């Protein structure tokens, strides 16, 4: 689940420590609720002038705003059934909603906001070999169907594959694709293929 946590104060120095502590407390809260290991992965940090001020220059009375963005990650094991996955997602969502509500009660607490939770494959690159195997099989089928015994088609050029990409379809289904560009025969136009798993 993506999250954003922001905190405003007169001094910038203590803000990072406060945000770090608040994110650790949130991680523990979600872990207790879900009954499984939860990790927090920070991704970005922004330092801005606080208070929505339109001043052109900082003055001694200006406040500082620090915004941290990242992800809460909760494992959904393959051996769990749909209902167990749903229960863990529900626990994550409830804990995040509570943290968001708590953060609006006091200006001293970081302000949390959360995006929609989505299922992802933890190690998509582990599926690269299978995606390549499927791609090669599909290219061979295409070459056999379009070529002839007298003029067989072969791969004459391939661009190296990029990173494995993910597309979340549902809590139960995540699509993986591997962007590849290859050309069959001589002088054919390149066509992009994305083997899917």
């Amino acid at each position: 689940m993506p999250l954003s946590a922001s905190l405003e104060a007169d001094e910038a120095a203590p803000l990072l420590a406060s945000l770090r502590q608040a994110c650790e407390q949130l991680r523990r809260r979600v872990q207790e609720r879900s009954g499984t290991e939860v990790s927090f992965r920070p991704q970005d940090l922004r330092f801005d002038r606080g208070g929505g001020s339109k001043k052109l220059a900082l003055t001694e009375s200006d406040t500082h705003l620090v915004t941290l963005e990242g992800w809460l990650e909760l494992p959904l094991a393959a051996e769990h059934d749909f209902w167990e996955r749903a229960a863990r997602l529900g626990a994550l969502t409830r804990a995040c909603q509570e943290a968001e509500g708590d953060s609006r009660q006091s200006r001293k607490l970081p302000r949390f906001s959360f995006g929609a939770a989505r299922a992802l494959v933890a190690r998509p690159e582990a599926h690269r070999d299978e995606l390549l195997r499927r791609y090669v099989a599909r290219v061979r089928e295409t070459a056999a169907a379009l070529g002839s015994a007298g003029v067989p088609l072969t791969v004459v050029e391939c661009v190296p594959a990029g990173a494995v990409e993910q597309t979340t379809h549902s809590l139960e289904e995540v699509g993986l694709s591997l962007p590849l560009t290859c050309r069959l025969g001589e002088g054919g136009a390149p066509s992009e293929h994305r083997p899917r798993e």
Side-chain angles (χ1 to χ4, degrees), residues 1 39 41 71-78 85 117-131 163-178 196-197:
M1 178 175 285
S39 58
R41 184 167 46 92
W71 290 85
L72 277 174
E73 296 178 340
L74 182 145
L76 300 174
R85 286 192 194 92
R118 60 186 184 133
L120 293 172
V121 174
R123 291 176 288 120
E125 289 296 328
H127 301 273
R128 177 178 288 273
D129 289 346
E130 175 62 15
L131 291 167
V164 175
E165 298 175 357
Q166 300 191 56
T167 305
T168 303
H169 299 291
S170 70
L171 179 60
E172 291 290 291
E173 183 181 357
V174 177
L176 299 178
S177 63
L178 186 62
R196 299 188 183 283
E197 187 172 276

Side-chain angles (χ1 to χ4, degrees), residues 23-69:
C23 289
E24 176 57 22
Q25 289 171 347
L26 172 65
R27 186 195 68 76
R28 283 197 308 265
R29 176 189 264 186
V30 173
Q31 188 166 296
E32 288 169 8
R33 276 291 187 90
S34 63
T36 187
E37 186 65 32
V38 173
S39 58
F40 171 65
R41 184 167 46 92
Q43 188 174 18
D44 197 12
L45 190 67
R46 289 191 317 275
F47 292 89
D48 297 304
R49 185 171 34 200
S53 174
K54 295 183 179 179
K55 298 175 187 175
L56 296 177
L58 286 174
T59 67
E60 290 182 8
S61 63
D62 283 327
T63 58
H64 303 273
L65 176 69
V66 178
T67 303
L68 173 69
E69 294 180 354

Side-chain angles (χ1 to χ4, degrees), residues 82-133:
F82 173 82
W83 299 111
E84 189 165 356
R85 286 192 194 92
R88 289 187 178 195
L89 180 60
L92 169 66
T93 302
R94 282 190 306 278
C96 291
Q97 288 170 344
E98 288 172 2
E100 192 168 7
D102 293 348
S103 74
R104 298 188 191 294
Q105 302 299 318
S106 169
R107 289 196 55 172
K108 293 182 180 181
L109 293 174
R111 178 67 59 94
F112 279 107
S113 61
F114 300 90
R118 60 186 184 133
L120 293 172
V121 174
R123 291 176 288 120
E125 289 296 328
H127 301 273
R128 177 178 288 273
D129 289 346
E130 175 62 15
L131 291 167
L132 283 171
R133 185 194 66 73

